[in-house]
Amino acid sequence: MLTVDIIKTLPDFRLQLNFTVANSILVLLGPSGCGKTTTLRCIAGLTCPDDGTITFGKEIFYSGSNQIFVAPKDRNIGYMFQDYALFPHMNVNNNIWYGVKQKTVEIKQSYDKLVELLKIGHLANRAIHQLSGGEKQRVALARALIAQPKILLLDEPLSALDCDTRLELRSELKKMQAISKIPFILVTHDLEEARSMGDQVLFIERGLQVPPSARWKECLCGREKLG
């Protein structure tokens, strides 16, 4: 289980969150600039909180009181950036394999399974600029998952896609989480996306967890809510 209890002073407000997520999809929901991406960056180790703790089971990724900070490369956390961050000078296959230190039998089997599930096997030798938005999303997801991370962070992964592609990839993301059985933390400011994707939904406003208003409660009916 991932436990996050952090404080981070930002230019316009103070980010202060306390939540847990097990092997499910947690959605961080809120308006742009409320601290969602900063939260992901703190979990990944790309930003250091001012105080608090971030733990995964018995592992301590960050502890302010004990002055512990584990480098991003040692956390084994997958991060799917909003712009996908694919390398334009590499083809699809090389992008997926980037960052894999050893191509073990298990990793190769994982590759075969991922490209089949994500329907991108035929794209292996294609250049990144030749891909559609949905294809880029699938490649970025395969790259994030092939290293078998402990946690997957997704920063508005569907925001740039058309409606039909978004609906299809929502389903695929949920399927991939069910197969991988690791915590997914997904950032969005889209209410419908949160409703359809989240096993848990945490609403954030100016860095703080807030109870959903009556409107949010109605729209999120039937989902577990945090905050």
Side-chain angles (χ1 to χ4, degrees), residues 16-130:
Q16 188 168 356
L17 300 176
N18 184 346
F19 62 85
T20 62
V21 55
N23 297 337
S24 59
I25 299 178
L26 167 66
V27 173
L28 304 183
L29 174 66
S32 297
C34 72
K36 303 185 302 293
T37 295
T38 299
T39 302
L40 292 192
R41 291 180 61 84
C42 286
I43 295 169
L46 301 175
T47 295
C48 185
D50 296 331
D51 201 3
T53 58
I54 301 173
T55 62
F56 183 70
K58 295 182 179 179
E59 295 182 70
I60 301 174
F61 291 152
Y62 169 76
S63 172
S65 60
N66 295 314
Q67 297 185 327
I68 296 172
F69 181 84
V70 176
K73 65 181 180 65
D74 297 321
R75 298 191 185 197
N76 191 20
I77 294 176
Y79 198 138
M80 187 172 164
F81 295 90
Q82 188 172 356
D83 62 358
Y84 308 137
L86 297 172
F87 299 108
H89 63 288
M90 296 181 183
N91 64 20
V92 166
N93 192 56
N94 289 337
N95 262 279
I96 294 173
W97 282 108
Y98 181 83
V100 175
K101 296 176 182 178
Q102 289 185 314
K103 293 185 180 181
T104 63
V105 172
E106 184 180 7
I107 294 292
K108 289 178 181 178
Q109 290 174 343
S110 177
Y111 172 87
D112 292 339
K113 184 184 297 184
L114 283 170
V115 298
E116 180 181 356
L117 286 170
L118 293 169
K119 306 169 187 175
I120 55 174
H122 64 292
L123 303 175
N125 296 312
R126 194 168 296 183
I128 297 303
H129 73 270
Q130 297 176 311

